[in-house]
Amino acid sequence: MEALDPSSSMFILVAAVAGIVLLFIFLYFVPVNLWITAQFSNVRVGIGELIGMRIRKVPPSIIVNSLITATKAGLQLTTNDLETHYMAGGNIPNVIRALISADKANINLTFKQATAIDLAGRDVFEAVQISVNPKVINTPNVAAVAADGIQLIAKARVTVRANIAQLVGGAGEETILARVGEGIVTSIGSAATHKSVLENPDKISKLVLQRGLDAGTAFEILSIDIADIDVGTNIGAKLQIDQASADLKVAEARAEERRAMAVALEQEMKARNVEMRAKVVEAEAEVPKALAEAFRSGRLGVMDYYKMENIQSDTSMRESIANSDTDSKDSSKGKNEKK
């Protein structure tokens, strides 16, 4: 045998590598296995459509497998529908599962509605499941006060079913819980006594259901059951205690104000008394001067002055005698009362 030329062997090696690369590229852009699977599943998908999916960066496996599942379930969909929803950011397998579940449960759900719900950020498959099997939502503890001032703490279980027509644009579970809590507070607050609520808790459920709390939400309320009611604090008595404490503080403040005014008035009267005493002392200081002037001018004699002194002494003596008699009478009266 003749030896191969080195250049020829290199050419053969390069050609083999290039052939392998071209084969992988061909198999990537032309998923023959998917095409064969689709043909055997009676799903008409052309090779050109599969190549177009690769070029548009759409995974052909997701589109083809989802279309096969939908076709086997009796749904009439096209690759264009699924590809459009995928490029819009949707979850195709979840939408297909939701459509199949809705069809089996006789729920009117179109592909357009399912894709709209999915693109709105809601789990359309879970919504269909909730439509078939209603969901129970437990409310947090709701505190309310009856008309007699007793606080009641209630907890409810809300059974809801998904409203397919309201899933796009409808409010969620938070709105349901808020409305139910508001209804419980209103129902307990309108009760005359807390005992009537404890005796008939079903009244709360009836009043809340009559309010149509599921309007504008993505759910339909089937029932509201009061799971538990506990008696809380006596809010009315607490408010009365707080009011009495506030009134006491106001009264004490007013009394302190009056006391301060009385002290101020007392100090003012003491100041006026000192002022008047000073004027009296000043006036008494003028008496010797007036006597001296009367002696010098001859309007007052020495005998007249002595007579005036005698009169003053006699008046002082009479006053002291009168005061001593009054004191003795008061003391005797006190002794008689003690006896």
Side-chain angles (χ1 to χ4, degrees):
M1 295 179 65
E2 296 181 356
L4 293 175
D5 187 11
S7 60
S8 299
S9 61
M10 182 62 67
F11 175 75
I12 295 172
L13 180 60
V14 172
V17 172
I20 294 172
V21 172
L22 290 176
L23 179 62
F24 275 106
I25 293 174
F26 176 78
L27 293 177
Y28 174 77
F29 282 99
V30 184
V32 179
N33 56 342
L34 283 176
W35 180 78
I36 295 173
T37 303
Q39 295 301 319
F40 279 97
S41 301
N42 294 325
V43 175
R44 303 303 174 186
V45 180
I47 295 294
E49 290 179 333
L50 296 177
I51 295 173
M53 292 179 192
R54 287 294 190 191
I55 294 173
R56 290 188 292 271
K57 296 182 179 181
V58 176
S61 60
I62 295 178
I63 302 298
V64 174
N65 292 330
S66 298
L67 188 59
I68 291 173
T69 304
T71 303
K72 291 298 183 181
L75 302 178
Q76 300 298 324
L77 299 176
T78 63
T79 57
N80 188 37
D81 295 334
L82 300 182
E83 191 175 350
T84 301
H85 184 61
Y86 178 84
M87 289 189 294
N91 188 343
I92 292 177
N94 201 38
V95 171
I96 297 301
R97 288 198 302 270
L99 289 173
I100 294 173
S101 299
D103 182 66
K104 299 302 180 182
N106 294 324
I107 298 175
N108 186 16
L109 178 64
T110 63
F111 179 75
K112 184 178 180 180
Q113 286 179 323
T115 54
I117 295 169
D118 184 57
L119 293 177
R122 296 185 182 274
D123 193 336
V124 62
F125 181 62
E126 182 183 359
V128 174
Q129 286 182 325
I130 295 176
S131 297
V132 177
N133 296 318
K135 180 180 180 182
V136 177
I137 304 174
N138 292 320
T139 64
N141 292 332
V142 180
V145 181
D148 58 354
I150 304 299
Q151 183 188 53
L152 296 177
I153 302 174
K155 189 175 182 179
R157 290 190 178 94
V158 186
T159 305
V160 297
R161 180 172 57 195
N163 189 352
I164 302 296
Q166 293 289 337
L167 281 176
V168 179
E173 294 182 10
E174 293 79 6
T175 302
I176 293 290
L177 292 176
R179 291 181 179 179
V180 171
E182 180 184 0
I184 292 174
V185 171
T186 304
S187 301
I188 294 177
S190 62
T193 62
H194 71 285
K195 294 181 180 179
S196 62
V197 178
L198 295 175
E199 291 173 357
N200 299 303
D202 58 326
K203 289 183 179 180
I204 301 177
S205 303
K206 294 178 181 179
L207 291 175
V208 174
L209 283 174
Q210 292 174 0
R211 297 170 63 91
L213 302 180
D214 52 2
T217 64
F219 299 95
E220 177 186 355
I221 297 178
L222 300 179
S223 66
I224 299 176
D225 303 315
I226 303 300
D228 186 22
I229 297 181
D230 295 328
V231 179
T233 58
N234 192 337
I235 302 297
K238 185 177 179 181
L239 291 176
Q240 291 178 358
I241 292 172
D242 294 340
Q243 184 63 41
S245 178
D247 294 340
L248 178 61
K249 290 181 179 179
V250 171
E252 289 177 350
R254 291 179 179 175
E256 181 64 22
E257 181 182 2
R258 290 194 297 270
R259 190 191 68 79
M261 292 178 63
V263 171
L265 181 61
E266 181 183 2
Q267 296 298 325
E268 183 180 356
M269 296 303 295
K270 287 181 178 180
R272 292 182 62 184
N273 188 18
V274 172
E275 182 182 359
M276 296 303 295
R277 286 182 179 276
K279 290 182 179 180
V280 170
V281 172
E282 183 180 2
E284 289 177 350
E286 296 294 330
V287 173
K289 295 180 181 179
L291 290 175
E293 182 63 26
F295 283 134
R296 282 195 296 269
S297 62
R299 292 195 300 272
L300 181 65
V302 176
M303 298 303 296
D304 294 330
Y305 175 73
Y306 282 124
K307 288 181 180 180
M308 184 181 64
E309 289 290 333
N310 291 331
I311 293 171
Q312 289 180 351
S313 300
D314 185 61
T315 301
S316 299
M317 181 182 65
R318 292 177 182 273
E319 288 178 355
S320 63
I321 293 172
N323 291 332
S324 63
D325 293 339
T326 303
D327 293 340
S328 62
K329 290 180 180 180
D330 292 338
S331 62
S332 63
K333 183 178 181 181
K335 291 179 179 178
N336 294 329
E337 289 178 353
K338 289 182 181 179
K339 291 180 179 179

